[in-house]
Amino acid sequence: MPTLEFTVYKGSEGGKIIEGTSVANALAPNEVLIKITHAGLCGTDLHYRGQDMVLGHEGVGVVQQIGTQVTHFKVGDRAGWGYLHESCMNCENCLTGDEILCPERHMYGTHEHDRGAFASHAVWNESYLFHIPDEISSSDAAPMMCGGATVFNALEKYGVRDTDRVGVVGVGGLGHFAIQIAAKMGCEVVVFSSMESKKEEAIRLGATEFYPIKGAKELKIGKLLNQLLVTTSQQPDWDMYLSIMAPGSTIFPLTVSEGELKLPYEPILVNAIRVQGCICPSRAIHMKFLRFAAFHKIKPVTQEFPLTKKGIEEAMDRLDKGDIKYRAVLVADKA
């Protein structure tokens, strides 16, 4: 394959988006060249806006070329990728299907700074790419590469059951995925939001109960919660939520938040409440999520922007202001 020079959009000190170029030489035997058509904008991208790296990790596109040993993709296939780029495949985590926790993992923000979803093309190891089901559009698939998959990972990996009452704090980029996924799993979905105007949409997405929390000092919801997914950018009033958690329940803090996680000690101790960290899924759960989303018609609420320097800046600025409903998708010209 001749050297290919393609457009990339990088962060920089001060947060200005820089349009540049990157070069892909001959593909390695296991690599795939993807023409990017859609890229999701995730809150994590805001954290890396000040770094000299290609931004974006919710990529979807069309396979243009394949390496000599690629067996799972062919030219013309749609493919997507998320946070995980590589893993050692030999450690205990990898061998038990938990490669997202591999000590030698390559992830967005730590490795391959010359590649990302905010670009015209990208080259990736085929083992860390996902086929996009025919039932899911590329625009809808992009936010599923991280946001949707992360929520599904929490519910699937840690044994949430259809008999559980699942609380969701926030109706936003992650929260609106959480409502749909938990509802399709058969759970009672109890939603908490500071905006009472979101009640109608939360119910439409699958919520069975909705509680406005702006100005609230206590919550009265009847039966206690078995699981709580915290999807807001800021940490909630933990005292208020711990009072509605059932003994043996689990709290999932899902969004990246700076600072320390501080929780009241005694309620967690006496009620055996677990606080479970959770990031993006390993590949098996990610593939399962795409099948689940296709079958159950999970669909993100999105706003589209052009995959250009101006479009990226507008989308990121609006996300930073909380002015996106609920996931931004950057779309390449003639996608």
Side-chain angles (χ1 to χ4, degrees):
M1 183 188 83
T3 298
L4 173 68
E5 187 176 273
F6 49 90
T7 302
V8 296
Y9 299 97
K10 305 172 71 175
S12 66
E13 187 175 352
K16 184 179 180 181
I17 301 301
I18 304 297
E19 180 176 342
T21 58
S22 187
V23 175
N25 296 314
L27 292 178
N30 64 346
E31 286 184 332
V32 172
L33 171 66
I34 300 171
K35 177 178 174 54
I36 299 168
T37 62
H38 297 77
L41 173 60
C42 183
T44 310
D45 297 319
L46 297 180
H47 292 275
Y48 289 111
R49 185 172 181 171
Q51 303 295 319
D52 180 19
M53 57 177 276
V54 182
L55 299 172
H57 60 282
E58 294 183 332
V60 173
V62 178
V63 174
Q64 283 200 323
Q65 296 189 45
I66 60 174
T68 57
Q69 295 180 12
V70 171
T71 59
H72 298 299
F73 288 90
K74 63 181 185 299
V75 173
D77 285 350
R78 288 190 303 153
W81 75 91
Y83 224 78
L84 182 66
H85 303 169
E86 302 269 358
S87 60
C88 77
M89 300 306 295
N90 291 307
C91 69
E92 183 175 345
N93 290 313
C94 288
L95 293 173
T96 55
D98 214 5
E99 61 272 5
I100 192 68
L101 299 180
C102 172
E104 298 180 27
R105 64 192 177 185
H106 288 199
M107 297 203 304
Y108 176 64
T110 63
H111 293 79
E112 289 77 51
H113 290 164
D114 60 333
R115 286 175 272 175
F118 297 178
S120 62
H121 297 76
V123 175
W124 297 108
N125 181 338
E126 73 156 336
S127 296
Y128 298 85
L129 294 172
F130 304 100
H131 284 279
I132 308 301
D134 292 340
E135 298 88 346
I136 303 176
S137 73
S138 294
S139 183
D140 287 344
M144 295 182 182
M145 294 300 106
C146 175
T150 297
V151 172
F152 185 82
N153 191 38
L155 296 169
E156 172 70 19
K157 183 175 182 179
Y158 297 103
V160 174
R161 301 177 180 178
D162 56 8
T163 53
D164 285 347
R165 276 171 62 81
V166 176
V168 177
V169 183
V171 184
L174 291 181
H176 91 291
F177 267 125
I179 296 168
Q180 294 181 74
I181 294 168
K184 293 299 184 181
M185 285 182 167
C187 303
E188 296 179 45
V189 184
V190 184
V191 174
F192 306 91
S193 174
S194 60
M195 300 178 64
E196 192 164 3
S197 59
K198 291 188 176 182
K199 178 178 181 178
E200 183 176 339
E201 185 156 43
I203 298 299
R204 180 183 63 79
L205 292 170
T208 49
E209 299 172 39
F210 179 93
Y211 297 93
I213 58 171
K214 186 174 182 179
K217 299 299 182 183
E218 63 176 341
L219 293 170
K220 296 180 180 179
I221 66 169
K223 189 178 178 183
L224 301 177
L225 301 176
N226 305 106
Q227 322 288 342
L228 181 69
L229 281 68
V230 179
T231 72
T232 49
S233 57
Q234 301 296 322
Q235 294 186 41
D237 180 342
W238 290 115
D239 282 309
M240 190 165 66
Y241 285 100
L242 284 171
S243 69
I244 59 172
M245 300 301 297
S249 57
T250 304
I251 296 172
F252 298 92
L254 291 183
T255 46
V256 177
S257 177
E258 296 181 354
E260 298 180 351
L261 175 63
K262 295 183 178 180
L263 293 162
Y265 183 76
E266 187 173 352
I268 292 175
L269 181 70
V270 299
N271 290 308
I273 296 172
R274 178 171 59 186
V275 178
Q276 178 63 60
C278 185
I279 56 172
C280 305
S282 292
R283 294 170 299 167
I285 291 181
H286 198 137
M287 289 188 291
K288 185 182 290 188
F289 168 58
L290 291 174
R291 294 196 303 269
F292 180 91
F295 182 79
H296 289 289
K297 297 180 173 56
I298 303 292
K299 183 179 175 65
V301 176
T302 62
Q303 291 181 256
E304 294 186 345
F305 300 82
L307 183 48
T308 61
K309 179 178 182 292
K310 182 178 179 181
I312 293 168
E313 288 177 337
E314 180 185 358
M316 296 189 87
D317 289 344
R318 288 182 59 178
L319 178 62
D320 194 34
K321 296 174 183 175
D323 188 29
I324 294 291
K325 184 183 177 182
Y326 288 115
R327 301 290 296 197
V329 177
L330 300 156
V331 183
D333 186 34
K334 299 179 181 178

